Structure formats: structure tokens, C-alpha cells
Amino acid sequence: MTTTGEEPATARGGPLWWDRRRSALLDVSLAVVSALEAGIEGYPFAKEAGIPAGAGVLFGLLAGSVLVVRRKWPIAVVLVSIAVAPAWMGFLMGVVGLYTLAASELPRRIIASLAGMSLVGMLVVTFVRVQQSGARGDQNLGEWFVPFAAITISLGLTAPPLLLGLYVGARRRLMESLRERADSLERELQLLAERAEERAEWARNEERTRIAREMHDVVAHRVSLMVVHAAALQAVARKDPEKAVKNAALVGDMGRQALTELREMLGVLRSGEESGRRRERAASVPLAAVGAAAAAAASRAVDDEGAGVEGPCLSELDELVGQSAAAGMVVDLSVEGEVRSYAPEVEQTAYRVVQEALTNVHKHAAGAKTHVRLAHRSSEIAMQVENEPPPEVASAGSVGLPSGGNGLVGMKERVSALGGVFVSGPTDAGGFRVSAVIPAA
């Protein structure tokens, strides 16, 4: 972020009440000029008042030097200029004082009151001076000239500095307001950029979790069946060569299927890495484009969440059950309701739930009879995989398969992400049941 809002604080380095040394130098210079002017004008005032000339000059010098505090006490400067106006001195002090007063942050009623006092005082003094000058002269200027000259001179010494000060003060306040708004907008942009980046990071984490679930389901199911077939192959290799050849072919087919699906998911991961490198190359973009870029990245990540690997569908459920049956599992599939198509993510989630449930039966209840039920309802699809207690004597395909403990967690995450309900647990008969209901919409 820029330091627009911090410029007044960082620029403060002048003496006493001045913000900058340049301001102090300007005010001191104006005070010197004003003191010299008032000092010179104090000499004729002393002669008219009948006082020593030195006293008049000293009085003028002291009065004119008050201009040095115009930024700190502008009211005092204007009051002093009004007070010395009858002595016909301090014109520069009066003009600069009115300008400073009008440009300050004081209430408008105070500015108007002091400006009115200065105008009336200057009008009276000018009227008297012009009248005295006309009385001394030989020319007859007319009765209209004295008030006209008094009004013109008083307005000329009062109105221009007052209007200029009001303009400068309004412009200064406008610039400060615009600066504050710019700082506020920049902070909001920074906050939006951070939130968009957080959203993009959340979307990337969700995508990684989704791919991790996919890889777990593919690897766990395929490899579990391969291990079961390999164990059966080892058991019947010598007794039944034909069955051994059949099991070997199944192992090869499942291995190729697993490699194909893993290759597709790794392709998605590589595309994600390329997009990450593109984001790093765009890191030097100005802050004004960060918010839009991060928001677009987050939107793309969310939009692409379901567009990674083309997942399976419910029409492949018969093949999935057949693979488990070929591995030695006694499994039956029943379908209720009118078969219809669903959204790809719904069909993929339903397929993965059944797949992971069958994989768990292979791991933990080898040889147990399993029932797979699928129900098509009006607004939802329900599935249930229930296995009976495993036989006491392990079958030839019963082998020790490792478990990562992520199968049930992944199934629940999948179903919950679609607004469904997932329940799993042991049955009263000693088996295990996995049930899920997913909204059709």
C-alpha cells in the first residue's frame, strides 16, 4: 500500500507549531515585511498623535510582527489588524490575516463575524481619512466621492483575501477528503485481495482434498482386488491352472485400469501446477489488479472443482459388483425405482460410496456375503451396502490388507458436500452397514 494517508505525519519537521521549515520561513518573512511596513507607517502616526517618533515606529514594528503567529492564532492577527486600523497601518497584516482566517478550520460564524468587524472598521477609518484628505484639498470632489472611495477601498482590502482564503480552505479540505477516500479504497482493495486470495487458497485445498479422495478410492479398490486375486492365484496356481490364468488376466486388467485413472488424475495435478506458476509470474501486477485477478483465480478454482477427472457413473455399477464377485465375494445387487440419470457429481458420489464400501468388505470381512441396494426415489437416490459376518475360516482370498482409515471419512465428505446424509456402523447380526442418501437435484 502507498503511504498517502501518512504524508502529513511524515512531513512534520518544522520548529514550534509549523509543519514544515518552508512554512516557518514564509511566515517569518511575511512578519518581517509587515513589521517594516507598520514601522514606516508608525512615523506619521506618531506625528499626528503627538508622541515621540521612536514610540510610533516601535509600536508599528511590534504590531506588524504579530503576523508570525498567523497559523497558530489567526483570530489574534485579525483582531490586532482591526485595532491598529485607526492608526492607518498594518495593511499587509490585515490582508494576510483575513486570508489565513478564511482558509483555517474555524467555524464559519467566527470567520464571518471577524470579517464583518474588519470590513466595518476599515470602512469607518477609510471614510474618515478620505473626508479629512478632501477637506484639506482645494478641489471639490462632491458628496458622493467620500462614501464611494471608502466602500471601494474597504472592500478591496477585505473581500479578495477573504474569498481567496475560503477557496483555498475548501480546496484543501477537498484534497484531504479525497486523500482519505483514496486511502480507504486502497485499504478495502487490499482487504478484498486478501479475501480473494484466501478464497482461492480454500478452493485449491478443496480441489486437493477431492483429488486425494479420488486417488484413495481408485487405488484402494483396484489394489485391494488385485491383492485378493493375487492371493487366489497363489492358492490355485498348481491345482487349477485355468483358473490361475483367469485370475492373472483379471489382475492385469485391474492394474491397467488403475494406471489409467491415476494418469488422468496426475494430469489434473500437473495442470494445477502450471496454473500456480502462472499466478507466481503474475505476482508483480500492481495492487489495483490483484483483487480482480485473485477473485478470478478463486472463481476458476471453484468452477473447475468438479471438472477435473471424468468420474464413473451408475451405469457402471454392474461392472463394479461383477469385479467383486470375480474376486470371490458373494454379492447381490438390487435396484428399486425407475432408473434415470442424475447430475455427474451425484452419480460419481453414489458410485464411489458403493465402491469404497465393497473395498472395506474385501479388507475387513473377506468371504462375507454382501448386499448392495440402490433406490431411485422422486427427489433423492439412496444406496446401502451391508455385509454379513465373515466366515470363521478364511477363504483362499482372505489376505491382510492395510487400511489408511480414510475410507469412511472420504465417503462422508462426498455425501455431505452434496447435502446428503451418510450413516455407517455395525449391524446387530455382526456385520457392517453403509448407508447414504443424496438429493437428486
Side-chain angles (χ1 to χ4, degrees), residues 26-227:
L26 175 63
D27 288 356
V28 171
S29 301
L30 288 174
V32 170
V33 175
S34 176
L36 292 176
E37 179 225 350
I40 295 173
E41 294 165 346
Y43 180 76
F45 166 71
K47 291 178 63 177
E48 293 178 0
I51 60 176
V57 173
L58 180 61
F59 174 74
L61 292 174
L62 293 176
S65 62
V66 175
L67 195 59
V68 75
V69 297
R70 69 183 186 96
R71 297 178 191 266
K72 184 70 172 177
W73 297 295
I75 296 178
V77 175
V78 175
L79 290 176
V80 171
S81 67
I82 296 173
V84 300
W88 203 245
M89 67 172 62
F91 296 103
L92 177 63
M93 179 174 57
V95 171
V96 177
L98 280 176
Y99 164 80
T100 307
L101 178 71
S104 65
E105 301 294 333
L106 292 172
R108 291 297 178 88
R109 63 179 182 275
I110 296 179
I111 297 176
S113 300
L114 291 175
M117 292 172 57
S118 178
L119 176 62
V120 172
M122 185 61 65
L123 181 63
V124 172
V125 172
T126 306
F127 184 86
V128 172
R129 287 282 182 173
V130 173
Q131 192 175 36
Q132 290 177 352
S133 300
R136 295 193 196 100
D138 298 333
Q139 298 179 355
N140 186 12
L141 300 176
E143 297 180 356
W144 60 271
F145 180 76
V146 174
F148 173 77
I151 294 175
T152 302
I153 295 174
S154 59
L155 286 177
L157 293 175
T158 305
L162 183 66
L163 295 177
L164 181 61
L166 291 175
Y167 167 75
V168 172
R171 184 175 179 274
R172 182 185 301 150
R173 287 187 290 270
L174 176 61
M175 295 301 294
E176 292 177 356
S177 174
L178 292 176
R179 186 182 296 111
E180 291 176 358
R181 290 183 60 185
D183 291 342
S184 176
L185 289 175
E186 197 166 7
R187 286 191 295 268
E188 290 180 5
L189 179 59
Q190 181 72 18
L191 182 60
L192 288 175
E194 292 175 357
R195 289 181 177 177
E197 184 61 30
E198 291 175 359
R199 183 170 175 240
E201 183 63 26
W202 173 83
R204 289 192 292 268
N205 291 335
E206 287 292 315
E207 179 65 10
R208 284 194 290 266
T209 303
R210 187 188 70 83
I211 294 176
R213 286 197 300 264
E214 289 290 330
M215 295 185 69
H216 172 269
D217 292 343
V218 171
V219 173
H221 183 72
R222 301 293 184 191
V223 174
S224 297
L225 292 180
M226 289 170 63
V227 172

Side-chain angles (χ1 to χ4, degrees), residues 34 69 273 324 423:
S34 176
V69 297
E273 292 176 357
S324 295
V423 179

Side-chain angles (χ1 to χ4, degrees), residues 2-26:
T2 63
T3 58
T4 307
E6 299 175 0
E7 286 179 358
T10 56
R12 189 177 183 89
L16 299 177
W17 56 82
W18 287 284
D19 293 338
R20 292 172 294 184
R21 296 183 182 275
R22 184 174 59 184
S23 300
L25 180 61
L26 175 63

Side-chain angles (χ1 to χ4, degrees), residues 278-363:
R278 286 196 297 269
R279 283 192 296 271
E280 291 178 358
R281 288 195 298 269
S284 59
V285 176
L287 183 60
V290 171
S299 300
R300 286 196 300 271
V302 174
D303 293 340
D304 294 343
E305 185 174 351
V309 180
E310 183 180 356
C313 55
L314 291 176
S315 61
E316 303 174 12
L317 207 57
D318 290 331
E319 180 182 355
L320 177 66
V321 173
Q323 291 174 356
S324 295
M329 178 188 294
V330 180
V331 55
D332 65 279
L333 172 65
S334 61
V335 180
E336 302 175 2
E338 182 181 355
V339 178
R340 64 183 189 275
S341 60
Y342 300 90
E345 58 269 17
V346 174
E347 294 205 10
Q348 180 179 354
T349 299
Y351 181 93
R352 293 302 189 194
V353 169
V354 176
Q355 182 188 54
E356 181 60 26
L358 292 177
T359 301
N360 287 342
V361 175
H362 283 292
K363 289 181 178 181

